[in-house]
Amino acid sequence: MPIFSDLDALSADAAQRFAEAALDAVRQRGKFVVALSGGSTPRRMHACLTAMPSGSIPWAQTHLMFGDDRFVPPTDDLSNERMARETLADHVQVASLDGMVRADTPAASADLYEALVRERLGSELALDLTLLGMGPDGHTASLFPGQISVHEKKRLVIGAIATMSVRDRVTMTPPLLNNSREILFLVAGADKAAPLKRVLEGDENWDETPTQAIARYARNVTWLIDEAAAANLSPETRARIS
Ligand code: 6PG
């Protein structure tokens, strides 16, 4: 796919890929389980999804989950669940939307969510599609630099600590994220150019750039990036990811 001129073009392509993944999953397995990303980048893609002609996406067989969330009530402005409801789920009729924050502590919420993930995914434990962003510090989901969460090898969902807005988080871990049938990274903006170069070209250092633990080891990764985020990439890298 091209390196996109801007977030609008990137989001339209991401929405098309979301629709294709959904139709493929429902055709093959009768349902589509997707992990949404938080932050602001996905908003435009969600708008593209809700604007698609009726029948483009099998919403009635679609189960929305989250790759991570801030440990705040789902009604809080900072909640990824709230953002997903406002920009997507409130506009379509999905089979289910599973919020992550449903207990008194991040760890207890993570335990509940892991049980739900196992129920939804069955023994293969493979999300059909995972949408991920990346922070200017190189984090993805809520796997933050300098935190042990990126090194989790057994648990599928854990409580984590962020080094930015809202410290307490709940996040899917590399074992679960990397087993996704497809991962789309949506990365736009000049503030992502430095970490994106570390992820795609840099020495391996998960503590510095946790996104490497997903981008370099997951089953199937597609990068949807804009020119601003790609500014520091070598011609070889641009060719490799296009
Ligand atoms: C979160 C997200 C996080 C996000 C990045 C990028 O809870 O904040 O899940 O991992 O994807 O921080 O955020 P932007 O898209 O807002 O730059």
Side-chain angles (χ1 to χ4, degrees):
M1 93 304 312
I3 292 176
F4 299 95
S5 54
D6 58 24
L7 180 57
D8 282 353
L10 182 159
S11 303
D13 186 82
Q16 198 52 49
R17 290 170 186 269
F18 183 109
E20 287 160 13
L23 290 166
D24 186 50
V26 170
R27 248 194 313 271
Q28 294 195 42
R29 291 175 293 279
K31 68 179 182 180
F32 174 52
V33 186
V34 52
L36 300 177
S37 176
S40 57
T41 300
R43 286 172 172 270
R44 189 77 198 87
M45 181 196 71
H46 292 177
C48 292
L49 290 173
T50 58
M52 283 182 153
S54 167
S56 303
I57 296 171
W59 292 115
Q61 290 80 35
T62 295
H63 299 268
L64 301 179
M65 304 196 87
F66 293 91
D68 73 315
D69 210 342
R70 295 82 182 273
F71 192 68
V72 294
T75 52
D76 189 297
D77 283 349
L78 290 169
S79 163
N80 293 338
E81 177 180 347
R82 174 171 172 170
M83 185 273 280
R85 286 186 185 277
E86 287 178 347
T87 60
L88 181 59
D90 288 353
H91 305 274
V92 293
Q93 301 299 320
V94 294
S96 67
L97 179 150
D98 298 312
M100 292 188 110
V101 181
R102 290 295 184 270
D104 295 345
T105 65
S109 289
D111 290 347
L112 289 177
Y113 210 68
E114 176 154 338
L116 193 52
V117 163
R118 290 182 182 278
E119 181 191 324
R120 289 252 181 266
L121 299 183
S123 57
E124 191 180 347
L125 290 177
L127 287 155
D128 293 308
L129 177 65
T130 295
L131 295 154
L132 289 172
M134 183 179 66
D137 61 355
H139 82 264
T140 191
S142 280
L143 305 171
F144 283 84
Q147 300 296 324
I148 56 168
S149 45
V150 72
H151 299 288
E152 175 60 43
K153 293 278 184 282
K154 289 200 174 12
R155 295 293 310 275
L156 304 180
V157 185
I158 56 172
I161 299 294
T163 50
M164 55 183 280
S165 64
V166 187
R167 277 179 61 77
D168 284 336
R169 304 289 184 106
V170 182
T171 188
M172 290 183 176
T173 61
L176 177 57
L177 293 169
N178 288 348
N179 197 41
S180 302
R181 290 189 174 89
E182 182 177 10
I183 291 179
L184 295 180
F185 271 104
L186 276 60
V187 180
D191 63 338
K192 312 294 176 76
L196 188 61
K197 187 172 182 69
R198 293 202 307 271
V199 172
L200 295 176
E201 300 178 5
D203 294 341
E204 187 114 334
N205 182 337
W206 295 5
D207 294 308
E208 180 187 38
T209 311
T211 301
Q212 290 178 343
I214 311 301
R216 298 184 178 187
Y217 296 94
R219 281 165 67 171
N220 172 8
V221 172
T222 297
W223 288 95
L224 302 181
I225 61 181
D226 71 355
E227 282 295 349
N232 300 351
L233 298 181
S234 69
E236 296 73 22
T237 299
R238 290 173 69 101
R240 171 167 58 88
I241 63 170
S242 295

